[in-house]
Amino acid sequence: MTVLSALKTVNLTIDGREIIAHEGDTVLEAALTAGIDIPRLCHDPRLKPVGACRLCVVEIEGERGLLTSCTMEVAEGMVVATETDSLAAKRKTVLELILDDHRVTCPTCDKNGDCALMDYSYRYQADQFAFGGYKPGLVEPNFATGNKAIAFDPQLCITCGRCVRICDEVVMASALTFKMRASSVEVTTPFDMPLNETSCVLCGLCISTCPTGAMYDRAALGQGQIKDLEKVQTVCPYCGVGCTMELNVNRETNRIVRVTAPEGSVPNDGNLCVKGKFGFEYVHSAERLTTPLIKENGEFREATWDEALELAGRRLRELRDEHGPDSIAFLSSCRCTNEENYLMQKVARTAGATNNVDQCATTCHAPTVAGLASTFGSGAMTNSIDEIKDVDTLFIIGSNPTEAHPIIGLEMKKALKKGAKMVVCDPRKTWVAQHADIHIQHKPGTDNMLTNAMMRHILDEELHDPEFVESRCENFEAFRKNLQDFTVEEAAEVCDVPAELIRQAAEMYAKGDPSSIFYTLGITEHISGTENVQNLANLSMLTGQIGKRSSGVNPLRGQNNVQGGCDMGAMHGDFPGYQKVADEAVRFKFAEAWGVEIPTNKGGRVTDFIEQAGDGVLRGFYVFGEDPVLSEPNQSKVIASLENLEFLVCQEIFMSETAKLADVILPATSFAEKDGTFTNTERRVQRVRKAVDAPGQAKPDWEIICLMSTAMGHPMEYNDAGEIFDEMASLTPSYGGMSFDRIDEVGLQWPCPADDHPGTEFLHEGQFTHGLGIFKEIRFREADELPDDDYPYILSTGRTLYNYNIGNMTQKSDAIRQKQSKAFVEMHEVDAERLGVANGDLVKVATRRGEVTVKATVGERTRPGALWMPFHFVDQPTNRITNDAFDNITRTAEYKVCAAAVTKSE
Amino acid sequence: MDRALLEGDPHSVLEGMIISAYAIEATKGFIYVRAEYPIAVLHIRKAIDEAHERGLLGDNILGSGYSLDIEVREGAGAFVCGEETAMIASLEGERGMARPKPPYPAVRGYHGEPTIINNVETFANVPLIIEEGGAAFAESGTEGSKGTKIFALAGQVNNTGLVEVPMGATIREIVFGVGGGMPRNREFKAVQMGGPSGGCVPAAHLDLPIDYDSLKEVGAIMGSGGMIVMDNTTCIVDIARYFISFCAEESCGLCAPCRLGTVQLEETLNRITEGKGTLEDLDKLESLGEVVQQTSLCGLGQTAPNPVMSTLRHFRDEYLAHVVDKTCPAGVCTALLPVEATVGKEK
Amino acid sequence: MTAVDLGPAHAVLEDMAPVDHGHAIPLLQNIQESYGYLPREVLLELSSETGIPASHLFGLATFYAQFYLEEHGRHTVRVCRGTACHVRGRKIIQEAIDEELGIGPGETTEDRRFSLETVACVGTCFLAPVVMIDHDYFGNFDPKKVGEIIGGYE
Ligand SMILES: Cc1cc2nc3c(=O)[nH]c(=O)nc-3n(C[C@H](O)[C@H](O)[C@H](O)COP(=O)(O)O)c2cc1C
Ligand code: SF4
Ligand code: SF4
Ligand code: SF4
Ligand code: SF4
Ligand code: FES
Ligand code: FES
C-alpha cells in the first residue's frame, strides 16, 4: 500500500495530449493507458523491455535521435510525438526488412486474425518484396518437431525474443535460448534437444507471447484461423487457482480449437499452465457419455432420460422412506459449478431429507476448513494471489506450488525476482525447495514437531509480536505452556534435520516484512491434518504475520471449485456460507426459503459413506462428478463397499471406475458446455460460460439435479444458472452482494455482503472473523503407519504438474500423454543402488493393502528411505496401496504417510 | 594501440583506473581484453598482482579505507562486446547483446549499479592529468579536442606503426610525414579512420586537422584510432562492402534494423561489385543506411552504415563507374574486369 | 561415441568455486582450455552443478566465436580479416592457406591437426597481413611460405 501511494505522478505531452503517468512508467505504458497505440513487436507487459524490434520508436523533444518508447521512462514535461511521417517511413522500412526475413503465408496461416506483424504491415503498407522477398530454404526438423503441444515454424519467426525471455524471466524454466548471432540468430533449445527433453514445462507461455504464428498450438494447426474463431471467456476446470481463460471455438465444427488467456487476466496475468493450456481435449473425447445408461443383468444398456430419471429418483426415495435419512447419501462435485453444488446440497436436504451430503474436500482440504475456522473463524486462503509478489519471506510447507498451483508458482517467482526470501519445508526437493534460501527436508509426518520447535525458538528469542498476541488473540498462556515440552534439538532429531536450519527458518519467517505461509496437502493429508493447520495458524498469530496485505495463512486449494463446493454447503454440518445446520435460526431460514422441513440427522463425510456402505447402513448413493474408487484410499475396500450398495447412481461425463459399479448413469456436461460460477482458492467467484454444445443427450448438471429432485418427488426448476446463483446469494451473507452482472469480467472475492461492497482482498484485518484468534495447544502425534522391517519405506503420494487427479481429463490430451502417461515411483539413489534398481526399471511397490508395479525414477528428489508416487494413473492406481487411516476431526485420509516395501520387478 | 598500451605500460592504465574508481567510489573494476591479445592479458594480470603486492589494490588501499578489486576478463570473440552495454551483458555472463540506453551505464550498469566504461588510452591519460594538471594536458591539441592521440597507421603506406601526435595534426602530416608516403609512389586515395564503423576520408581532405569535430564533419570518427591508408589499387565499393559485411557478421542480432539491414546493405553492395547494380540501388543504400543508423539499438548498428554512407558521399563517381559503366576503376572487382585482365590475374 | 571424462570439468569447477551466473564465460573458457572444445555432456554437467541453465550455456557457446562445440584441431590457424590486412592482400593469403590445409575457415583437418579460422584485427596492423597460429604471430605474411610455416606445427 505504501508503495502504491508513494508513486509520484508525472505530466507529459504525447501527440499533443496532456497525460498524467506514474513515475517509472515507460512512454509506451503511458501512451497505451491514454489510448494511444504505438506499434510494437517485441513488447509484452509481462517482460522486461529490451528494445529489439525498434518499431515503437518515437520522437522526443530535446533528445538526440529516435528513442524506443518501450524502454524510455517518462519525465516531467516530456513532449513526445508517436506518429509522424518520418516515423512512419522508418517503421515501414523496418517492417519491410522483417517481412523479407519472414515467410508471408497469411492466407494459410493460423495466426491470421491476431497477428501483430500482419496488422502493422497493413497499417504502414509495408511491401514484402521491398528487399526481394523471403527465399524459403530447406525446412529442417527443429526442437518442436514431433512435439504434440507446441509447433515452431522458424520461417515465421521474427526473432523478437519474446518466447526466450518469457521462458526465462516469467516461467524460469529457461528451456529456450537464442543460438548463434547476427542474421543467424535462431530460437532453439540447448543443443537443439527435443522440447520434451528439456526443462520445458509445456506452459505455452511462449505461444502466448509470440507476435506471429511461429509458436503455435500444434493441435490447433489447420483447425481454423484465429479470425474465424470465437473466444469465450471462462475459468479453467483444473486447479484452484482459477485462471481466466478463453476457449477459442470454431463454430463450424462446434469444437474448441485452442485455449488462450487474455492479457492482464485475473488472477493469472495472461498466463496458463500445461493443464489449462493443453488439457481441454477431453471435452471432445469420443469416450464421453452421451446417453443415460441403465444396468440390467450386469450390463449397461442405453436408456431414455425419462426411464433413467424415473428409476433413479424412485429407488433413492424408496430407500430413504424405508430406512431413514442415513440410508442415502449425496456426493457433490468440486469440479462442477457453485450453482450445481448449491443444488446438490439443496436436493439432499429437500428431496433427500438428509444431511448426508459431502464433496471431495474431505479428501484434501477439510482440515483447512476445520483448522482455520477453529482458530480464525474462516476456513479459506487469507490473502489474494496478486499479493504474493509483494511477500518478503515466503514460508512454504507441504506444498509444491510450481507443479500443483503453477500460476501461484509464477507469482512466487515474481516475488523471488523482487528479492523475496524463501523457506521451504518439504520432504522432497521440489522446484521451490531447490530455489529456497532454507530447505528443511523433514521426515514425512513430523510437521507439528517442526512447527512447535520453530515457535519455541521464536518465543525464546523474543521474535514474536507480543502486541498482536495481546490485542488480537486468546488462549496464549496455555499455548505457551504446551510449547515448553518441545525443543529445537528434539525436533531436529524427530524430523531428521539440522537444528540450526530450524532456528534459521524460524527467524527468517518471524523477521519477514511481511511473511506469508503457503501450504497444501502435505499439511492436511495426515491423521493430524487439522492440528497441522491449527499449528500454522498459531505460527502466524504468534508473529503477527496475519491480517495484512501479503501476509497470512494460505491454503492453496486443489480442485477448481473445491472452495466453492465448501462455500455452497455441500457438507453435512453446513449450509451455504458455512451457516451451521446445528443452528436453529439458520435451519428456520432455509426451511422458510425452501418450503420444507430441514432434516436434523448429523450426516457424514464421504469416507463415512464408504464405510457405511460396507456395513450395509448406507443403501442408496448419488455420486456426481467424483470417482471415489480411484480417489479414496485402500481401493479394494472401497470397491467392496460400493458393491454392497443397493442402488448407485452416477452423474458423469466418462465411464469412471465408480460409474462402472452404478445402476444408473446420467450423462453430464463438462465446464465448457454450461454456465455458472466457480470460486477459486482466493475466494474469487468467477463466471464459467458455455462455449460449445454438449455431446449427444448430455445435459448441464444443474438441469439433471433438478430433474432428479423432481423424480424424487420434490419438483425443482430454474430457467438458468443465474437464477440459481441469485437464490443462493440471497441466502448466503458472504455472497450476498454478488450477481452474474457484477462478476462478469474479473469476479469478486467473498466476503461481499452488499451490492456496493467491493469484495475482500485479504481476511482478518483489524480482527478475526470470530473476534479474537484462538491459540491451540498442539501435541505431536506420529503417523498412523510407520516403517518397519517388512515395509521399511515411507510412501507419500501427490500431484504432478502434468496431470490432474485420476487423469481422466488430462490423459485425453495428446500433448500431456506425450509428456507423462505412466505411473512412477520416485526413490533416492542410495536406496536404488542398494536394491539394484536403475532409473527407469520396473519396481513393485507393496503395502499391507496391495501392490502396484511402476517405473522407478531414481534421483535425489526424495529423502533416503522415502518414496513418492503420483496418483493420476488408472492402470496402476496408487490408492490401491495407500492407508485408510483418517484425520481425527475431518476424516481426511493420511495419503502422505504409509509404510511400503520396494522390490525390483523381473 | 590499446594493445600496445596494455602490453607496454599496463601500470599507467591501472593507475588511471584506480584513480577513476576512487573518484566515483567504485569497488569493483574490470579490464576487458580480447583473448587474441595473450601478451596484453599476461602483462596486465602481472601488473595487477604487483599492484596488490604494493597495497595499491585490494582491501584498504594505502590505509585510505578505500577498497578496489580489478578483474581481467578475456573477451570470447565478439566485436560488439566493445559496446558498453553489450560488454556489461558479457561481464554478467550473458550473450553479448546490447541493452537500450537510457538508462545509461553511468546510472544503471553492471548488475544495475552505476558503471563507467572507458577506453584504456583514456585511463592511461588520467595519471598524467592528475600529476601535471588539466592545463598541461590541454596545452597540446585543439579547441575541442585536447591532448595527444595515438594512431595506428597501417595499410598502403611506407612506415606503419603507432604514432602519437597532438590533436589537430593533419592527415597529410601523418601519412606523408610520419608515414613516409605511399609505397612505389602510388596515388593516395583515402584514409579509413575509426575502425569498421568509421568513414573514408578522401584526398581532398588531406589537410584536414584531425580532431573529434572535424572528423565528424567529413563522416568519419576517431574511434579506435585506426588509420588505414589506401591507394588507387583499392576499390572503394569493395572496401564499403568489406566493412558492412564485417558489421553484419558481428551484429549481436538483437535488433531488427541492424540484424537485417546490414545484410541488405551487404547484398546490395555485392550486387554492385558483381556488375548487377542499378542506380536505384544507390538510393536504396542511402535510404536504408539512414534507417539503420537512426533506428538501431546500439553503436554497432548506428554506425555500421558509416563506411557506405561516407564513401557514397566522397566517391560517388566510383560507385557510378560500377553501376553505370560496369567497370571497377581500381581493378579489384573480378566480375567487372575486362576478360583478358581476369585471365591474366589467374594463377 | 565414447563417454566424455567429467573429471577435468569438476576440477575446473572446484578451482573456480563458487561459480555463479556471472562467471559463465570464464567457466566456458576454462573448460575449453582443458577439453579443447565444449563437449555437450560437460555443458549439461556444468548446468546441473552450477544451476546455470543449459540453455544459457548453449546460448553463450554459440554466440561467442571463441567457443567450439565440436572437437577442434590441435593447432588453430587464424587469418586476420581486419582492415589493414584486408587492404594488404589477406584474400591471397586466405586462398593459399585454404589450399595448403585443404579446408575452409571454420573447418578442421581430418587428422585434427589444424583448425582454420578468420579473426578480427589482431592489433598488429603495422605487420599486415597477419596470420596467427596458436599464440604465435606471423607478420608481413608471405603466401609462398605457407607450407614452410605450417610445417612447423605438429
Ligand atoms: C561496436 C562497438 C565496438 C567497440 N569496441 C571498442 C573497443 O574494442 N575498445 C574500446 O576501448 N572501445 C570500444 N567501443 C567504444 C566503447 O563502447 C566506449 O564507448 C569507449 O570505450 C568509451 O571510452 P572513452 O570514452 O574513454 O573513449 C566500441 C563501441 C562500439 C559501438
Ligand atoms: S505470422 Fe502473421 S504475417 Fe506471418 S504469415 Fe502468419 S498471419 Fe501472416
Ligand atoms: S512451453 Fe513454457 S516452459 Fe516450455 S518453452 Fe514455452 S515458455 Fe518455456
Ligand atoms: S518464436 Fe515468436 S516469440 Fe519467439 S522469437 Fe520467434 S517471433 Fe518472437
Ligand atoms: S490448472 Fe490451475 S494453474 Fe493451471 S491453468 Fe488451470 S487454474 Fe491455472
Ligand atoms: S516494442 Fe519497443 S523495441 Fe520492440
Ligand atoms: S587488420 Fe590485421 S592486424 Fe589489424
Side-chain angles (χ1 to χ4, degrees), chain B residues 3 34 76 94-95 155 160 242, chain C residues 81-82 88 121-122 126 137:
Chain B
R3 167 187 173 145
R34 296 181 60 197
E94 302 283 338
R95 291 161 58 87
T160 57
Y242 161 77
Chain C
R81 59 173 165 137
R88 291 183 73 148
C121 171
V122 296
F126 43 90
Y137 292 87

Side-chain angles (χ1 to χ4, degrees), chain A residues 727-893:
Chain A
E727 175 182 315
M728 178 278 297
S730 72
L731 292 166
T732 311
S734 54
Y735 280 67
M738 299 189 201
S739 64
F740 272 24
D741 269 354
R742 280 196 75 192
I743 60 171
D744 197 46
E745 267 300 309
V746 293
L748 278 169
Q749 287 170 281
W750 66 255
C752 172
D755 291 348
D756 55 356
H757 191 284
T760 308
E761 273 183 85
F762 57 94
L763 303 177
H764 316 306
E765 189 177 18
Q767 74 166 36
F768 287 100
T769 309
H770 59 196
L772 293 177
I774 305 169
F775 276 106
K776 297 280 177 191
E777 308 125 67
I778 305 296
R779 308 298 298 181
F780 167 64
R781 292 190 290 131
E782 301 248 37
D784 178 70
E785 190 183 57
L786 294 176
D788 54 23
D789 289 348
D790 296 336
Y791 297 97
Y793 293 90
I794 300 183
L795 169 67
S796 307
T797 70
R799 288 169 274 192
T800 71
L801 169 64
Y802 301 98
N803 280 289
Y804 180 69
N805 278 6
I806 53 167
N808 65 345
M809 291 152 74
T810 44
Q811 282 297 301
K812 302 285 187 303
S813 154
D814 287 345
I816 290 175
R817 263 203 324 282
Q818 187 184 41
K819 182 83 184 182
Q820 189 182 72
S821 64
K822 286 267 174 289
F824 58 90
V825 59
E826 278 179 8
M827 59 195 302
H828 196 274
E829 55 197 25
V830 300
D831 296 324
E833 198 171 323
R834 197 175 44 239
L835 295 167
V837 170
N839 194 25
D841 283 355
L842 276 184
V843 292
K844 198 170 78 184
V845 184
T847 69
R848 292 193 168 78
R849 293 154 295 277
E851 61 179 55
V852 289
T853 302
V854 295
K855 269 197 176 153
T857 301
V858 176
E860 291 182 332
R861 264 196 25 132
T862 55
R863 291 168 51 94
L867 306 172
W868 186 91
M869 287 183 72
F871 54 75
H872 306 302
F873 305 96
V874 192
D875 55 336
Q876 291 298 323
T878 307
N879 282 324
R880 189 182 286 163
I881 62 177
T882 45
N883 188 12
D884 50 339
F886 303 103
D887 177 54
N888 52 339
I889 297 165
T890 64
R891 306 270 303 148
T892 300

Side-chain angles (χ1 to χ4, degrees), chain A residues 50-54 66-67 71-73 90 93-94 97-98 100-101 130-131 158-159 178-183 185, chain B residues 77-78 95 100 102 108 248-257 259-261 263-264 284 288 291 294-297:
Chain A
V50 293
C53 73
R54 316 306 291 170
L66 307 175
L67 286 158
T71 62
M72 187 71 191
E73 284 182 12
K90 285 177 186 117
T93 303
V94 173
L97 286 170
I98 294 174
D100 189 72
D101 193 41
F131 293 103
I158 60 168
T159 343
F178 272 143
K179 90 169 171 191
M180 315 300 281
R181 67 173 180 219
S183 54
V185 162
Chain B
R95 291 161 58 87
R108 250 180 278 160
E249 271 177 53
E250 292 294 335
S251 162
C252 79
L254 176 70
C255 81
R259 180 182 73 241
L260 302 167
V263 174
Q264 291 299 344
K284 193 153 132 196
L288 177 59
V291 171
Q294 294 185 2
T295 62
S296 287
L297 184 145

Side-chain angles (χ1 to χ4, degrees), chain B:
Chain B
M1 75 284 13
D2 293 345
R3 167 187 173 145
L5 260 174
L6 288 172
E7 289 179 358
D9 192 8
H11 279 295
S12 72
V13 179
L14 266 191
E15 191 180 348
M17 269 187 90
I18 297 169
I19 295 168
S20 310
Y22 180 72
I24 62 163
E25 296 176 19
T27 57
K28 176 90 196 166
F30 288 100
I31 296 176
Y32 194 90
V33 203
R34 296 181 60 197
E36 290 86 356
Y37 299 174
I39 300 163
V41 172
L42 201 74
H43 288 190
I44 191 76
R45 287 220 159 102
K46 188 151 174 275
I48 289 176
D49 287 346
E50 287 165 359
H52 271 284
E53 276 163 30
R54 313 258 160 113
L56 295 166
L57 268 180
D59 287 343
N60 193 10
I61 293 172
L62 300 178
S64 62
Y66 171 68
S67 304
L68 173 69
D69 182 37
I70 293 181
E71 197 181 313
V72 177
R73 285 289 180 91
E74 288 178 54
F79 171 68
V80 67
C81 288
E83 198 280 333
E84 312 175 308
T85 59
M87 181 188 296
I88 289 171
S90 175
L91 290 176
E92 291 176 358
E94 302 283 338
R95 291 161 58 87
M97 298 202 291
R99 296 170 178 176
K101 291 184 279 199
Y104 291 93
V107 179
R108 250 180 278 160
Y110 179 69
H111 287 301
E113 302 295 331
T115 307
I116 58 159
I117 289 136
N118 282 97
N119 172 262
V120 289
E121 193 184 356
T122 307
F123 281 127
N125 275 327
V126 170
L128 222 80
I129 297 175
I130 295 286
E131 221 164 299
E132 308 194 355
F137 183 77
E139 261 170 31
S140 49
T142 65
E143 189 59 35
S145 312
K146 303 294 181 200
T148 60
K149 170 77 199 164
I150 309 174
F151 288 100
L153 191 59
Q156 284 140 340
V157 59
N158 280 323
N159 307 327
T160 57
L162 298 183
V163 293
E164 180 164 3
V165 293
M167 289 283 189
T170 65
I171 296 176
R172 187 186 300 280
E173 280 164 5
I174 299 174
V175 173
F176 289 92
V178 194
M182 320 294 291
R184 281 177 263 162
N185 276 330
R186 284 213 281 250
E187 195 187 325
F188 173 89
K189 185 166 190 174
V191 57
Q192 205 279 344
M193 300 201 50
S197 45
C200 287
V201 186
H205 293 298
L206 264 177
D207 292 314
L208 186 78
I210 305 173
D211 68 16
Y212 288 97
D213 304 320
S214 64
L215 282 182
K216 206 169 161 196
E217 261 166 50
V218 296
I221 53 171
M222 195 77 76
S224 55
M227 247 185 137
I228 291 150
V229 182
M230 296 180 264
D231 63 23
N232 54 6
T233 62
T234 305
C235 167
I236 218 76
V237 181
D238 175 67
I239 281 292
R241 179 185 67 154
Y242 161 77
F243 282 119
I244 199 75
S245 92
F246 176 81
C247 287
E249 271 177 53
E250 292 294 335
S251 162
C252 79
L254 176 70
C255 81
C258 171
R259 180 182 73 241
L260 302 167
T262 51
V263 174
Q264 291 299 344
L265 291 172
E266 182 187 352
E267 282 178 5
T268 310
L269 287 167
N270 276 342
R271 274 204 305 281
I272 294 174
T273 57
E274 285 161 11
K276 297 177 193 148
T278 62
L279 280 174
E280 287 90 81
D281 280 339
L282 300 189
D283 296 341
K284 193 153 132 196
L285 285 176
E286 263 169 345
S287 65
L288 177 59
E290 198 181 306
V291 171
V292 173
Q293 283 176 328
Q294 294 185 2
T295 62
S296 287
L297 184 145
C298 86
L300 190 143
Q302 286 161 5
T303 56
N306 287 358
V308 183
M309 305 296 262
S310 79
T311 51
L312 267 170
R313 177 167 147 203
H314 298 302
F315 300 92
R316 202 170 179 90
D317 286 349
E318 202 163 332
Y319 277 90
L320 288 174
H322 284 73
V323 169
V324 182
D325 309 335
K326 308 288 178 201
T327 58
C328 175
V332 171
C333 301
T334 10
L336 295 179
L337 295 183
V339 183
E340 321 77 72
T342 319
V343 173
K345 268 211 143 187
E346 249 161 21
K347 290 179 289 194

Side-chain angles (χ1 to χ4, degrees), chain C residues 80 82-85 121-125 130:
Chain C
C80 177
T83 321
C85 296
C121 171
V122 296
T124 48
C125 309
V130 178

